[in-house]
Amino acid sequence: MATEKQPNELLKLLGIGFGIAVTIGGTIGTGILRKPGPVAEYLGNPWLIMGVWLAVGIYALLGVLCAVELAVSMPKAGAWYVYAKRAFGPFVGFFTGVASWLGTVSAISFGAYTWSEYVDVLFPSANISLQIIATIILVLLLGLHLLGTKVGGKSQELISIIKAVGLLLFVVFCFVYGAETREAAQMEHVAKDGLFAGLLGAFLAVFYTFDGWHTATYFSEENTNPTKNLPKSMILGVLAILVIYLLVNAAILYVIPMDQLVGSKLAAADAVELMFGAQAGKILTIFLMISIFGILNAQVMFAPRVIFSMSRDGLFWKKLTQVNSKGSPAFALSFTVMLSIILLIAGKELSGKLSDIATFFFILSYTLGFASLIRLRKTEPELDRPFKVPLYPFLPWFLLIISALFLVGTVIGDLESSSFALIFIAISYPLFLLVKKQNQEQTK
């Protein structure tokens, strides 16, 4: 039986399989294959390296418990925006929504640019601008998602399966064929900046690779049964990610001597080359492109839901509330991709900073989300909560403090990149008043 659609209404087409797929696909990108080298440089010790990945994974798992409570209590598109607006009012909601959306827009641009770099690796003689290649992939994704929510959801499920299987095969190959590459005498490296600075840098590097654990909450309005499906899909998804990340890191540490891992820009490719030769690295390059496409697919799908929801509440341009016959927020989708392309055109130098800018916005969104949960428990104790976070209030307060410390660490660790986000904070209230005034004039 076809779902009856009202004007500008998102369709309930997504289930538990999509929730798991979008959690995995929206989280696992290039980070797990690129970050082990920088983390090794920061720490230089295998046990510390594994400990940091485990710690951030536990943070993500605990964060999911908080996000599930919020999502099933308020099953609306927009995730952190919805919760902050209800807890703290329109301005904080606007601020949180735009921060969440801009963080994802930055991540989309970074992912598309990274994808174009791998195209250049495979076809070095093509001599095509990386910005042009990245723009093409974003336009193709825009076209895919304009075909509808069901098409986007099925594509995400397929890519996530390929991604998970590919990483597990990588782990198996490393442990089966990687023994001969190890040199036990080189399994230590002295971190040059000291333990505290090394831990801070490593945590921030790993933090980016886990972003996406909350992705399924953006689609709670389109879930066929969010109360039942979201807890299962999000918890199972994050547990799968944590296991995969730990296995991949263990495999890389098993194959690559520490002094070679330090400074590696693409550790997984280096491991494959050590085992099978330089030509085999191209196979991993193709897998990387599939992996990046998967996370781009998820980001292009969920980011428009934020500004769609804001527009519906009168906190963004009303035009962005339009939904096509297949359930896609077409104008919000087009606007999101357009801004991502503009960031790409801004130049290569900015493209290199986009992941750092995105990290600031992501952590800011988490911080406000955890604060929203605490606030709503006090202001709306009678709100229907089909799922409640365990160990309240300790757990959300713990995550709020950790997120705030991460946020401060992000600014201290990379003030240049964080300055873009700090500028947004400075202009956010005047921008809020401007958007609010324009919407009021349009409704007169």
Side-chain angles (χ1 to χ4, degrees), residues 301-321:
M301 193 175 182
F302 76 73
R305 266 72 180 173
V306 179
I307 52 175
F308 163 83
S309 188
M310 293 175 68
S311 301
R312 187 170 56 184
D313 294 340
L315 295 178
F316 222 80
W317 293 288
K318 284 292 184 183
K319 189 74 172 177
L320 301 180
T321 60

Side-chain angles (χ1 to χ4, degrees), residues 245-286:
Y245 278 7
L246 290 176
L247 287 174
V248 170
N249 271 280
I252 289 172
L253 288 166
Y254 183 76
V255 172
I256 305 179
M258 185 63 70
D259 63 337
Q260 293 181 33
L261 180 58
V262 170
S264 171
K265 293 183 179 180
L266 189 54
D270 291 342
V272 171
E273 288 187 14
L274 282 172
M275 290 185 293
F276 305 114
Q279 291 301 314
K282 290 185 178 180
I283 297 174
L284 191 67
T285 300
I286 295 171

